[in-house]
Amino acid sequence: MSVDFISIGDAMIEKIRSSFSAQAEQFESDKMNFSKKEYLDYTVKLMELNKRDKVLEVAAGTCACGRSIAPLVKEVICLDATDAMLNVGREEAAKSGIGNMQFVNGLAEQIPYEEGTFDVIDAALKDKIISMLLCVPNGIVEMSAEIA
């Protein structure tokens, strides 16, 4: 199965990376909806996770959701296009003693994993869901609420 995406181009990707790099430290603020405990608890509860699950968090940012998921599963891979965001996530995971996470720089449109790699995918980007389904045949895909 193949999926064609409209390429946003290198210049746009660099603008996105620049913008999110500047915001990375602020993403851990409890003022951000997706970093609030209530949001994370609700999202994780919907997933019905188990200790055998391998989870991919797409457009992970600082991996707030991934860090909430990690104690409940075998492994969490956080995929994001911005190193600064992933670095914050990595630092926060280390502070919390979470050791079953990987932090991967990449684009949602170009997920670098084979079909069937993951049991669960958490994605804030609904328009990327088709590419994610390629990695989770008969699996669970949890779409987090988009934050405007």
Side-chain angles (χ1 to χ4, degrees):
M1 178 190 305
S2 68
V3 178
D4 294 324
F5 288 96
I6 298 170
S7 176
I8 60 175
D10 292 341
M12 181 57 77
I13 291 169
E14 286 310 311
K15 284 183 182 182
I16 291 167
R17 286 181 171 145
S18 177
S19 175
F20 280 101
S21 291
Q23 300 175 54
E25 294 297 326
Q26 300 163 357
F27 266 63
E28 290 301 302
S29 166
D30 60 2
K31 294 177 183 173
M32 302 297 272
N33 287 341
F34 43 81
S35 295
K36 289 185 177 178
K37 182 175 177 8
E38 299 84 19
Y39 169 81
L40 295 169
D41 289 347
Y42 178 75
T43 301
V44 171
K45 181 181 175 184
L46 290 177
M47 291 183 187
E48 300 180 7
L49 302 165
N50 70 64
K51 280 289 191 187
R52 296 179 313 276
D53 287 335
K54 185 170 181 179
V55 179
L56 174 65
E57 182 181 14
V58 177
T62 61
C63 314
C65 194
R67 293 192 316 263
S68 295
I69 293 167
L72 307 173
V73 300
K74 180 179 180 181
E75 182 179 20
V76 177
I77 309 293
C78 293
L79 178 73
D80 197 88
T82 309
D83 281 329
M85 291 289 219
L86 292 170
N87 289 339
V88 170
R90 187 179 293 111
E91 291 168 11
E92 293 298 319
K95 285 181 195 175
S96 299
I98 299 171
N100 62 335
M101 295 181 73
Q102 292 183 40
F103 304 86
V104 178
N105 184 296
L107 302 173
E109 298 89 345
Q110 301 166 358
I111 294 175
Y113 298 98
E114 296 293 321
E115 182 175 328
T117 300
F118 300 97
D119 302 297
V120 180
I121 294 181
D122 176 47
L125 302 174
K126 293 180 188 135
D127 61 333
K128 307 303 181 204
I129 200 67
I130 294 171
S131 67
M132 290 171 243
L133 288 172
L134 296 175
C135 297
V136 195
N138 304 316
I140 300 168
V141 176
E142 174 61 37
M143 290 184 288
S144 304
E146 282 192 25
I147 309 300

